[in-house]
Amino acid sequence: WGRHGVVRLGPLSDDESATLLGNLAEVEDDVRGRIVATAEGNALFAEQLLAHVVEAGEHALDKVPETVEALLASRLDRLPEAERAVLERAAVVGRVFWRGAVDALSERDTREQLDELAARGLVRPTRSQLSGEDAVAFHHVLIRDVAYSGITKERRSKLHERIAAWLDEAGHADDAIVGYHLEQAYRLRADIESPEQAAPVAEAAGERLARAGIQAWKQADTPAAVNLLTRSAALLPTSDRRAEVLCELGGALLAAGDGATSTNVLREALDVAVAAGSRRTELRARVEISHSALYGVANQRGTVDEVLSAASAAIPVLEELGDDRALGRAWLAIAEAANLRLNNESRREASAIALRYYRRAGFSPSGCLTGQAAALYYGSTPVPDALRLCDELIDDASGDRQAAAMVHLFSAALRAMQGDFERAWALMRAATATFEERGARWNLAGPALGFTGMIARLAGDVVTAERAWRESRDTLEAMGMTSFSGSRNAQLADLLCDLGRLDEAERLADLAKQPTEQDDLAQQVWWRGAAARLLARRGDADAAELLGREAVELLEATDALDAQAKARLDLVDVYLCSGRTPDECRELVDEALRLYELKGNLVGADRARSLLSEPAGRT
């Protein structure tokens, strides 16, 4: 709607209010006029005031309740006892309720009372989400709220517990719904009982919400997972189960873009696991914490060695215990450690091992397939082979749209290397739409915007590249992902060198250098390349050459062919800006061309071929 203006929903006019009332019931004109004047354009107030007058008589207008809630309470107070009791039980079930549930709570058939309540305009039949159950809905949520608030806390608590039991007994045991009713029962009991008395209900509620939250997380439904797991963790006692829930919640929060809270939750998971004496969840929590710190989440910088140490200590114990979920997380952490050192083949192998455990545990394979696709893109696999293998990974996703969307990002970038930008952008749009639908903030801010910038730069669209990388960096910084934001600053600095915006490029290169750790080899290379090109344009040829050569040397032991080629062309750029002739740079260009051709990066190869034909001595 934002593109087409704003629809403002103001009060009804007097004529519209009169028309509404005329469609609902026949009353004298003067009575209708008094209702219109009293309601002041509030449709719900007018409707309920009319019903009040029909039920209580015209004298009801002599002292009109000041709020809709008070008016509804007055109407409900006038109901026959049997109808009010049914309405209250229905209110405990929810805005939409099932007749079978109300029958069970009332311990009798309630069809007659529900028909009377429907005739009064308080409830209405609706579509049922439960097979074999008739569904009824309150005409308005305020009617439900007023009826619910009229029940004592003790009575409400007992009714919520009975609804949970009915859902289980009737075969409608959706964990999220059962967990909600047990959660409400506990909170009500906690107000009127001792913590010890209410504790069993709290634990039961926490367990059902945990099951629902983990199921949502398995399906990559990040917002639902965060909601349900947060509520579960608040209810469960100190135990192995609570530590496990906190580990899952930490990962879901990170995917939702809340790095700071994720870090705190994972630390709490470790504390709970230690207090509970659970070696299994303690090892899992240590892996999660080291993995999270690897990328500077919430400014907590970790190292590859810390990840490898935590994973190595955990894997033998977890294998003995048969904890597939924790083993999958440990191997994925190892894959990410390999990624920071640009060991792409090792990353691919560890991601494949993680995938086997993820599948056994029933979790979304998105992270594992992402690791394999990333290794294909950044590593030595030629582009045609990498595209074919990415298609196989999408088949492996088995209908998991988020996993497929992540692989599509890498397929898009590979297509861009071939110069097929139309197909690349189509894949990017499809992947981004999936992330937006799933509420996957990290996927949008990190990979999606990052690849948008890379594809745009390959296509020569520097405006889109700059915009995408700036948005990515700003969002990542807000999420507490300092390592990734540093990488974006390095990419922006490199781009701004091309645009001649040297002062801004220098500032960004300095920012990119500051949070860099030795383990983050890609960022080490990126900021050096940008800084080298910048220094050459400033006239400091010696410092520029030193940094450029360092970038080339850092990549020698890796299988990152594309990065190796780019580092060599950066050094060529430094030499040309420093006054060397094209012939003096030919050997470096030939090396870059060979690497691009090995990778199958046609756009990069064309750039290498054209470089020596450009004017020398650029400033």
Side-chain angles (χ1 to χ4, degrees), residues 63-229:
K63 189 177 181 180
V64 178
E66 295 183 357
T67 65
V68 177
E69 290 88 347
L71 175 58
L72 289 169
S74 178
R75 282 197 68 199
L76 300 191
D77 284 343
R78 298 179 60 85
L79 289 174
E81 183 177 347
E83 290 178 23
R84 182 178 177 88
V86 167
L87 197 69
E88 289 177 347
R89 285 161 174 76
V92 173
V93 180
R95 169 76 187 277
V96 175
F97 56 93
W98 307 281
R99 190 170 68 83
V102 177
D103 287 352
L105 293 181
S106 304
E107 298 180 347
R108 60 187 174 83
D109 189 296
T110 60
R111 186 185 300 274
E112 181 180 345
Q113 286 75 33
L114 289 173
D115 287 345
E116 286 296 324
L117 292 169
R120 295 177 187 275
L122 296 172
V123 301
R124 56 180 172 77
T126 190
R127 185 175 181 178
S128 179
Q129 298 297 318
L130 294 185
S131 176
E133 293 290 342
D134 294 332
V136 185
F138 281 89
H139 183 66
H140 193 281
V141 69
L142 283 178
I143 300 173
R144 185 263 176 184
D145 291 347
V146 170
Y148 186 79
S149 63
I151 315 169
T152 66
K153 286 186 176 181
E154 181 180 11
R155 184 67 179 150
R156 266 186 271 170
S157 175
K158 291 178 179 177
L159 289 171
H160 276 297
E161 287 189 66
R162 288 173 61 189
I163 282 294
W166 175 81
L167 286 165
D168 280 332
E169 292 166 4
H172 305 311
D174 180 287
D175 285 317
I177 298 175
V178 174
Y180 163 78
H181 285 289
L182 291 173
E183 179 184 31
Q184 296 307 306
Y186 161 71
R187 300 203 180 284
L188 290 162
R189 288 182 63 168
D191 288 341
I192 57 178
E193 296 178 352
S194 69
E196 292 75 16
Q197 289 175 303
V201 180
E203 186 170 0
E207 177 56 33
R208 298 305 282 267
L209 292 172
R211 291 186 205 171
I214 290 173
Q215 185 59 34
W217 191 216
K218 285 180 175 181
Q219 297 169 350
D221 186 346
T222 303
V226 168
N227 175 288
L228 292 162
L229 294 172

Side-chain angles (χ1 to χ4, degrees), residues 532-544:
R533 298 181 66 221
L534 175 68
L535 287 169
R537 284 157 174 74
R538 295 288 199 197
D540 192 344
D542 291 341

Side-chain angles (χ1 to χ4, degrees), residues 451-500:
F451 276 118
T452 296
M454 284 191 278
I455 293 170
R457 188 160 192 201
L458 275 174
D461 183 355
V462 293
V463 174
T464 297
E466 181 181 359
R467 183 173 61 244
W469 282 338
R470 285 189 185 279
E471 183 182 351
S472 175
R473 179 201 59 194
D474 293 346
T475 308
L476 290 167
E477 286 179 351
M479 291 164 58
M481 308 291 281
T482 54
S483 176
F484 287 104
S485 65
S487 298
R488 292 291 177 265
N489 281 327
Q491 290 170 312
L492 284 165
D494 187 61
L495 176 66
L496 294 179
C497 278
D498 284 347
L499 301 178

Side-chain angles (χ1 to χ4, degrees), residues 502-580:
L502 302 187
D503 290 342
E504 190 176 2
E506 184 174 14
R507 181 179 63 82
L508 291 172
D510 287 342
L511 288 172
K513 177 181 177 180
Q514 289 169 14
T516 306
E517 298 292 334
Q518 287 299 120
D519 281 331
D520 193 343
L521 190 57
Q523 193 175 337
Q524 287 280 343
V525 169
W526 288 340
W527 80 256
R528 280 177 168 80
R533 298 181 66 221
L534 175 68
L535 287 169
R537 284 157 174 74
R538 295 288 199 197
D540 192 344
D542 291 341
E545 181 177 352
L546 178 63
L547 285 177
R549 287 199 172 278
E550 284 179 358
V552 171
E553 290 166 5
L554 283 170
L555 290 165
E556 285 304 301
T558 75
D559 56 2
L561 298 184
D562 201 67
Q564 290 174 1
K566 171 70 165 62
R568 282 164 170 76
L569 290 190
D570 285 346
L571 189 54
V572 169
D573 184 74
V574 166
Y575 286 156
L576 292 176
C577 285
S578 302
R580 295 197 188 187

Side-chain angles (χ1 to χ4, degrees), residues 362-384:
F363 278 81
S364 167
S366 180
C368 308
L369 297 180
T370 297
Q372 293 184 70
L376 291 170
Y377 172 75
Y378 291 110
S380 59
T381 306
V383 170

